Amino acid sequence: MPDSGHYDFLKPISSSITVPTCRQQCKREWIQKKRADPNFKQNEKETDLIRKKRKRCDEENKAQEQQADLFRKRAKRIDETYKANEQQKDLIRKKTIRRDKQYKAKEQQKDVIRKKAVRTDKQYKATEQQRDVIRKKTVRLDKKYKTTEQQNQAMYKITMRLDKQYKATEQQKDVIRKKAVRTDKQYKATEQQRDVIRKKTVRLDKKYKTTEQQNQAMYKITMRLDKQYKATEQQKDVIRKKAVRTDKQYKATEQQKDVIRKRAVRLDKGYKTTEQQNQAMYKITMRLDKQYKATEQQKDVIRKKAVRTDKQYKATEQQKDVIRKRAVRLDKGYKTKEQQKDVIRKKNRRLDETYICTEKIRNALFKKNRRIDAHYKQKERLKNKISKSKKRLNVFHRLKEKAANATTMRKSRLNIAYREKEKKLDGIIYYEYLDKLCITNYTLMKRLVK
């Protein structure tokens, strides 16, 4: 009688499943990208071990998984090319693992203990060897028998799964059998080795991978709709992550793996462009949120204040800016563009009345502060003297100055107050002139008398 079991992953997916949301689709795409990474398997080994241990506590799940494994192993053991590929991979993996001395010592101790336990039972050895020899000889000769047996078993299982009573009895038998088997340590060790070999062989089949991934994706989508399942999974993840984060060695190894993975990913140009586009869209959407803006601005202010206190950082940044500006200024096209931008910016500023007022106030304060400085005054006087002396040598400039002075004098004479001031000054100057003449004449008369 062929083996019976429950192969839920072969059942058609029901149409009652709801359409996944955008968030779920994005998460699915993210999972597919992660799985495309060759280092994903190594990173997810620990999480898979924890998940499998939890699943093994459920007896129904165990029964279903074991029956599915039996069917899958029988189907995979026929392919010889698959066997050869797996053997080569195992050789490469074992060579790399054997270099680790601690791992070697642990494995050797385990092998010694296991072999001692197996070698003590002679009858078990003999019976198992005879059965394997006979079964392999008969099966390897007849290929048609293999195909017919597989087809018959598949049809029998499909028909028997519809019977609920048969299901219940089979499940009870499986539970009893598994409880009895779990007590046997030798059987456990052999089953674990078989599972390792089977999983390695199965992972090479691309079609099987795609079907399993699709089934798992749909299963996860259905299970995520259950709120209780979500809550329990989240609590388990929180507890697991807290326990893992306390381990310093695990942290170091994870950081090294992330560094290696990111370096490998950054070499891919397509990945770079997609990541940049996604980040740009994310930033555009987040900038519309006012609360997010405020928090980000506060963080930037605190970060910049902390950075500005560091003198070395200042010096390095200034040197970088100097080098960058020198390199940019050599580009003529960049110069013209910057000049055009400055012209447009200044024109727009001059139209703003508030800006004009503020600029006038700033200029007035700046000039007042400069006029107080005696050193600045001396420099300005010297500059003015030199410029005026150079201008006076020019004939055209002198003519312009005379014309300008004539016009100003004419305009000022029209003012009555100015005319009165001029008359007073002229009178004072005239009397002073007469006094000077009188003194000179008196001195001359004294000399003549003498």
Side-chain angles (χ1 to χ4, degrees):
M1 183 176 161
D3 294 333
S4 63
H6 305 287
Y7 302 96
D8 293 332
F9 63 92
L10 294 172
K11 288 183 182 179
I13 296 160
S14 63
S15 62
S16 64
I17 296 165
T18 57
V19 178
T21 59
C22 183
R23 186 176 177 185
Q24 289 172 351
Q25 287 179 357
C26 291
K27 199 165 183 182
R28 194 189 298 171
E29 290 175 359
W30 175 71
I31 290 162
Q32 288 176 359
K33 282 181 184 178
K34 281 183 83 177
R35 284 178 181 158
D37 189 3
N39 294 321
F40 177 74
K41 287 179 185 178
Q42 293 179 358
N43 295 328
E44 291 295 316
K45 274 182 183 178
E46 292 181 0
T47 55
D48 288 332
L49 288 169
I50 293 159
R51 184 172 55 77
K52 285 175 184 176
K53 284 178 183 178
R54 288 170 184 164
K55 277 190 178 180
R56 280 172 192 157
C57 296
D58 190 3
E59 292 178 353
E60 291 181 0
N61 191 5
K62 273 190 183 177
Q64 291 177 3
E65 287 293 320
Q66 286 177 358
Q67 287 175 1
D69 288 337
L70 289 169
F71 182 79
R72 194 171 59 235
K73 284 176 185 175
R74 286 174 185 173
K76 287 291 174 183
R77 282 171 188 158
I78 299 161
D79 192 1
E80 292 178 358
T81 57
Y82 182 77
K83 278 184 184 179
N85 291 323
E86 283 296 316
Q87 286 173 359
Q88 288 177 0
K89 287 182 179 178
D90 288 331
L91 288 170
I92 293 159
R93 184 179 59 78
K94 286 175 183 177
K95 283 178 183 178
T96 55
I97 286 168
R98 281 169 188 159
R99 292 173 186 174
D100 191 1
K101 292 180 180 180
Q102 291 179 356
Y103 182 81
K104 267 190 182 179
K106 288 179 183 178
E107 287 295 318
Q108 286 173 0
Q109 287 175 2
K110 287 179 183 178
D111 290 331
V112 169
I113 293 158
R114 183 175 54 78
K115 287 176 183 178
K116 283 180 181 178
V118 172
R119 282 171 189 160
T120 54
D121 192 0
K122 293 180 180 180
Q123 292 180 357
Y124 182 79
K125 270 190 181 179
T127 54
E128 285 294 318
Q129 286 173 359
Q130 288 175 4
R131 284 178 188 173
D132 290 331
V133 170
I134 294 159
R135 183 175 56 78
K136 287 176 183 177
K137 283 180 181 178
T138 54
V139 170
R140 281 172 187 161
L141 296 170
D142 192 0
K143 293 181 180 178
K144 291 181 181 179
Y145 179 78
K146 276 186 183 179
T147 56
T148 54
E149 282 296 317
Q150 287 173 358
Q151 289 175 0
N152 291 325
Q153 284 177 3
M155 292 300 292
Y156 176 75
K157 287 174 183 177
I158 290 162
T159 53
M160 291 304 286
R161 279 173 192 154
L162 300 170
D163 189 1
K164 292 180 180 179
Q165 291 180 355
Y166 179 79
K167 272 189 181 180
T169 54
E170 286 295 319
Q171 286 174 359
Q172 288 175 1
K173 287 178 184 178
D174 290 329
V175 170
I176 293 158
R177 182 175 57 80
K178 286 175 183 176
K179 285 180 180 178
V181 167
R182 280 171 191 159
T183 56
D184 190 359
K185 292 180 181 179
Q186 292 179 357
Y187 183 80
K188 271 189 182 180
T190 53
E191 283 297 317
Q192 285 173 359
Q193 289 176 0
R194 285 178 189 173
D195 289 332
V196 170
I197 295 158
R198 179 181 56 77
K199 287 175 183 177
K200 286 178 182 175
T201 54
V202 168
R203 281 170 188 159
L204 295 171
D205 190 0
K206 292 180 180 178
K207 290 181 180 179
Y208 182 80
K209 267 189 182 179
T210 54
T211 53
E212 283 294 316
Q213 287 172 358
Q214 288 175 0
N215 290 326
Q216 285 176 1
M218 293 303 293
Y219 175 74
K220 286 177 182 177
I221 290 161
T222 53
M223 290 303 287
R224 280 170 190 156
L225 298 171
D226 189 1
K227 292 180 180 179
Q228 291 180 354
Y229 180 80
K230 267 191 182 178
T232 53
E233 287 295 317
Q234 286 173 358
Q235 288 175 0
K236 287 176 184 178
D237 290 331
V238 169
I239 293 158
R240 182 176 57 78
K241 287 176 182 177
K242 283 180 181 177
V244 169
R245 281 171 188 156
T246 55
D247 191 0
K248 292 180 180 179
Q249 291 181 355
Y250 180 81
K251 271 189 182 178
T253 53
E254 286 295 317
Q255 286 173 358
Q256 288 176 0
K257 286 177 184 177
D258 289 331
V259 169
I260 294 158
R261 182 176 57 77
K262 287 176 182 177
R263 283 179 186 171
V265 168
R266 281 171 188 158
L267 297 171
D268 189 1
K269 292 180 180 179
Y271 182 80
K272 269 189 182 179
T273 53
T274 52
E275 284 295 316
Q276 287 172 357
Q277 288 175 1
N278 291 326
Q279 285 177 359
M281 292 299 291
Y282 176 74
K283 286 177 182 177
I284 290 161
T285 52
M286 290 303 287
R287 279 171 189 157
L288 299 171
D289 190 0
K290 292 180 180 180
Q291 291 180 354
Y292 181 80
K293 267 190 181 179
T295 53
E296 287 295 317
Q297 286 173 359
Q298 288 176 0
K299 286 178 184 177
D300 290 330
V301 169
I302 294 158
R303 183 176 56 78
K304 287 176 181 177
K305 284 180 181 177
V307 168
R308 281 171 188 157
T309 55
D310 190 0
K311 292 179 180 179
Q312 291 181 354
Y313 180 81
K314 271 189 181 179
T316 53
E317 287 295 317
Q318 286 172 358
Q319 287 176 1
K320 286 178 185 177
D321 290 332
V322 169
I323 294 159
R324 182 176 56 78
K325 287 176 182 177
R326 283 178 185 172
V328 168
R329 281 170 188 159
L330 296 170
D331 189 3
K332 292 180 180 179
Y334 181 80
K335 271 188 181 179
T336 54
K337 286 179 182 177
E338 287 294 318
Q339 286 172 358
Q340 288 174 1
K341 286 179 183 178
D342 289 332
V343 169
I344 293 159
R345 184 171 55 78
K346 287 176 182 177
K347 283 180 181 177
N348 292 324
R349 266 204 223 160
R350 282 167 189 161
L351 297 170
D352 191 2
E353 291 180 356
T354 56
Y355 179 79
I356 291 164
C357 294
T358 53
E359 284 295 315
K360 283 179 180 178
I361 292 160
R362 282 177 190 171
N363 291 327
L365 292 167
F366 180 70
K367 287 176 182 178
K368 282 179 181 178
N369 291 322
R370 273 203 299 189
R371 282 169 190 159
I372 296 160
D373 191 1
H375 185 67
Y376 178 78
K377 275 185 181 181
Q378 288 178 0
K379 283 184 179 180
E380 287 295 317
R381 283 174 185 172
L382 288 168
K383 284 180 184 178
N384 290 327
K385 282 179 182 180
I386 293 158
S387 64
K388 285 177 182 179
S389 62
K390 285 179 181 179
K391 283 180 183 178
R392 280 168 190 160
L393 296 171
N394 192 355
V395 179
F396 295 103
H397 181 74
R398 286 165 76 184
L399 293 169
K400 283 180 183 178
E401 285 291 321
K402 283 180 182 179
N405 289 326
T407 53
T408 53
M409 291 290 283
R410 282 173 191 171
K411 287 179 181 179
S412 61
R413 280 169 190 162
L414 296 171
N415 192 356
I416 296 163
Y418 180 78
R419 286 168 76 183
E420 287 176 355
K421 285 180 182 179
E422 284 292 318
K423 283 178 183 180
K424 287 178 182 179
L425 289 168
D426 290 335
I428 293 157
I429 291 160
Y430 179 70
Y431 286 119
E432 286 177 354
Y433 178 71
L434 289 172
D435 290 334
K436 285 179 182 179
L437 284 171
C438 291
I439 290 158
T440 53
N441 290 325
Y442 181 73
T443 53
L444 286 168
M445 288 294 289
K446 274 185 178 182
R447 285 176 186 177
L448 289 168
V449 169
K450 287 177 181 179

